[in-house]
Amino acid sequence: MDSSKWKTLFFAIIISLLTLSLILNPQASFQASVRGLNMWWDIVFPSLLPFLIISELLIGFGVVAFIGVLLEPFMRPLFRVPGVGGFVWAMGMASGYPSGAKLTVRLRQENQITQVEGERLVSFTNSSNPLFIFGAIAVGFFHNPKVGIILAAAHYIGNICVGLVMRFHGPYYKSKRQDELSRTRQRVSLRKAFSELHRTRLKNNKPLGKLLGDAVLSSVQTLLMVGGFLILFSVLNSMLSLISVTAILAGIISLLLTVFDISKDLSYPLISGLFEITLGGKLTSEVKGVSLMEQIIVTSFFLAFSGFSVQAQVASILAESDIRFKPFFFARILHGTFAAVITFILWHPLDRKLEGFETVSGDIPVFSPLIPDGFWENMLKLFQVYGPLFTLSMLWIYLFLLFRKRKNVKNQH
């Protein structure tokens, strides 16, 4: 039997076992599904949708091309990506995954970046947003907004380090466009940037209503896919735990944690976090008898690794282009490693600066003087109260636009 047939047999057995576990554990499966759905319904959809819609509009109106010309001298030397990568990077940090992958693929489809540039760009533009780090993890699970500072610092600094490493990915050649940009780099001006904005807008000559409708349809479709993966991996994580696969993997991981002098009690939450970061964060915060520093190092690792749930979302989005998934997966391992090491390095300096991470307080004036006390707690509560209403409203708008689009296509035929 050749390797292809063994692969088919392997996947058939895995899917059959998963199906059997779902049949034997319907209650656990239902609870896991609800947990994933609540996360998507309350926070993921309402926090991501506005960013995705605005991003589509900015690309359509040429604002991204405008930003790209201005950021070219910064992004090209550091990360070997075009200036438009700066827009993707900023939006990825603000809105969270998988928006970085979505925008990267969008730029690739418009031929604003090459395949290799897309692989470099997607490797460091997918990150967790501040609401999830501060609101869900720091406040929701650890009940300590101070740990959000070190988690965010390690996460975003680690992403920069990944970008600097991944600049060496791919052959080092210069395209005709890149040569032209290199020659004019010293002459970059607002006039040139505005000319690029105007040219892009004329090229994408769509009425505002059409552009807005397409942005809503595309963004909601992406988030429906994200919701499906969240629920799927929440259930998968639960089933693996019930059939003791997670415990077996945790036993192996505990040996590695011992080498780094981290409590093996964190091995089970770490494995859960590698599959789905929300459950991993919750389980890590509940482990007793270990230091807070160890908990945050482990959390920082799987938060940067993104979990197989997020990686599956990214793989699905990248499949719409020729951008390969393997470089992204390698970058996630790098990011997890960088984030864990940076957390360890920054722990004691920040601990002294913030007068102790163990001292729970909403007051963090040194690093965020413009953010009032209790901001992230209020934001989290706001999403939990009004997020479902926003999600439901946008789904109705999506259905209306989808039916109208199909009706127009049918009438044209």
Side-chain angles (χ1 to χ4, degrees):
M1 191 181 297
D2 58 27
S3 59
S4 178
K5 291 181 179 179
W6 279 113
K7 188 176 181 180
T8 301
L9 180 62
F10 172 77
F11 282 120
I13 292 173
I14 292 297
I15 296 299
S16 299
L17 289 175
L18 178 60
T19 304
L20 182 62
S21 66
L22 291 174
I23 296 172
L24 295 177
N25 303 282
Q27 185 176 357
S29 172
F30 175 76
Q31 291 174 346
S33 297
V34 170
R35 184 175 62 242
L37 179 61
N38 285 338
M39 185 66 189
W40 177 80
W41 185 267
D42 292 344
I43 297 177
V44 173
F45 189 99
S47 64
L48 268 181
L49 183 64
F51 283 100
L52 292 180
I53 293 176
I54 291 297
S55 298
E56 290 284 342
L57 293 176
L58 290 174
I59 292 173
F61 283 117
V63 178
V64 173
F66 175 85
I67 296 172
V69 173
L70 296 180
L71 293 182
E72 184 77 24
F74 167 71
M75 298 299 293
R76 183 71 69 180
L78 281 178
F79 305 114
R80 288 178 65 204
V81 297
V84 289
F87 168 79
V88 179
W89 189 19
M91 294 300 288
M93 286 194 294
S95 58
Y97 21 63
S99 58
K102 172 72 174 175
L103 296 175
T104 301
V105 169
R106 183 83 160 79
L107 294 179
R108 177 62 184 138
Q109 291 170 342
E110 293 198 346
N111 207 31
Q112 294 193 43
I113 56 176
T114 66
Q115 176 194 358
V116 175
E117 287 172 344
E119 290 169 358
R120 294 188 196 121
L121 185 60
V122 77
S123 68
F124 71 96
T125 56
N126 275 272
S127 58
S128 182
N129 63 13
L131 176 64
F132 184 76
I133 294 176
F134 284 92
I137 300 292
V139 175
F141 296 149
F142 286 95
H143 308 290
N144 186 347
K146 287 185 177 181
V147 301
I149 295 174
I150 192 165
L151 283 173
H155 194 73
Y156 297 128
I157 294 173
N159 241 349
I160 296 173
C161 294
V162 170
L164 293 174
V165 172
M166 291 302 291
R167 75 183 304 278
F168 299 104
H169 167 67
Y172 205 102
Y173 65 89
K174 287 189 176 182
S175 63
K176 183 178 179 182
R177 171 178 167 81
Q178 203 168 324
D179 282 331
E180 181 182 343
L181 287 169
S182 297
R183 288 193 299 269
T184 60
R185 186 172 294 162
Q186 300 301 323
R187 295 183 284 113
V188 169
S189 65
L190 285 174
R191 178 177 293 182
K192 178 178 174 60
F194 179 77
S195 298
E196 188 70 17
L197 181 151
H198 184 61
R199 186 188 66 81
T200 304
R201 188 189 69 81
L202 292 179
K203 180 182 176 183
N204 190 20
N205 190 22
K206 291 182 181 179
L208 176 59
K210 171 67 173 172
L211 200 62
L212 182 59
D214 289 347
V216 172
L217 286 172
S218 174
S219 301
V220 173
Q221 286 170 357
T222 299
L223 288 174
L224 287 173
M225 178 271 297
V226 169
F229 276 112
L230 266 175
I231 295 171
L232 172 64
F233 275 85
S234 182
V235 173
L236 177 62
N237 205 351
S238 178
M239 294 302 102
L240 290 176
S241 178
L242 287 173
I243 62 178
S244 300
V245 172
T246 304
I248 295 172
L249 294 175
I252 299 172
I253 291 294
S254 64
L255 300 176
L256 183 62
L257 292 180
T258 303
V259 173
F260 293 101
D261 198 26
I262 296 176
S263 174
K264 61 182 181 180
D265 293 337
L266 291 168
S267 58
Y268 189 91
L270 175 57
I271 291 296
S272 297
L274 292 180
F275 281 90
E276 208 273 306
I277 55 178
T278 308
L279 180 60
K282 184 175 185 298
L283 293 177
T284 303
S285 66
E286 293 173 350
V287 175
K288 306 296 181 183
V290 300
S291 68
L292 181 61
M293 183 179 75
E294 291 176 288
Q295 289 177 307
I296 299 304
I297 288 175
V298 168
T299 302
S300 191
F301 177 84
F302 62 68
L303 188 64
F305 183 74
S306 303
F308 294 123
S309 174
V310 171
Q311 292 183 24
Q313 298 167 27
V314 172
S316 178
I317 294 172
L318 295 183
E320 300 174 9
S321 69
D322 57 356
I323 299 175
R324 295 169 297 178
F325 175 74
K326 285 183 179 179
F328 174 80
F329 180 73
F330 172 72
R332 298 282 57 77
I333 298 174
L334 274 181
H335 192 192
T337 305
F338 282 139
V341 171
I342 292 169
T343 301
F344 176 76
I345 294 172
L346 293 181
W347 183 266
H348 293 295
L350 289 181
D351 188 54
R352 290 192 297 269
K353 195 78 173 178
L354 297 174
E355 299 178 357
F357 283 111
E358 302 284 353
T359 306
V360 179
S361 169
D363 185 20
I364 45 177
V366 175
F367 290 88
S368 51
L370 300 179
I371 298 179
D373 297 352
F375 172 80
W376 296 109
E377 296 95 322
N378 294 333
M379 283 290 293
L380 189 61
K381 290 176 183 176
L382 192 67
F383 272 97
Q384 289 171 341
V385 173
Y386 296 105
L389 295 176
F390 178 82
T391 301
L392 186 61
S393 301
M394 293 308 301
L395 287 177
W396 277 112
I397 293 174
Y398 166 75
L399 290 174
F400 170 75
L401 292 173
L402 183 63
F403 285 135
R404 192 178 70 171
K405 182 179 181 181
R406 290 186 176 180
K407 184 179 179 180
N408 291 338
V409 171
K410 187 176 180 181
N411 292 336
Q412 289 175 359
H413 291 293

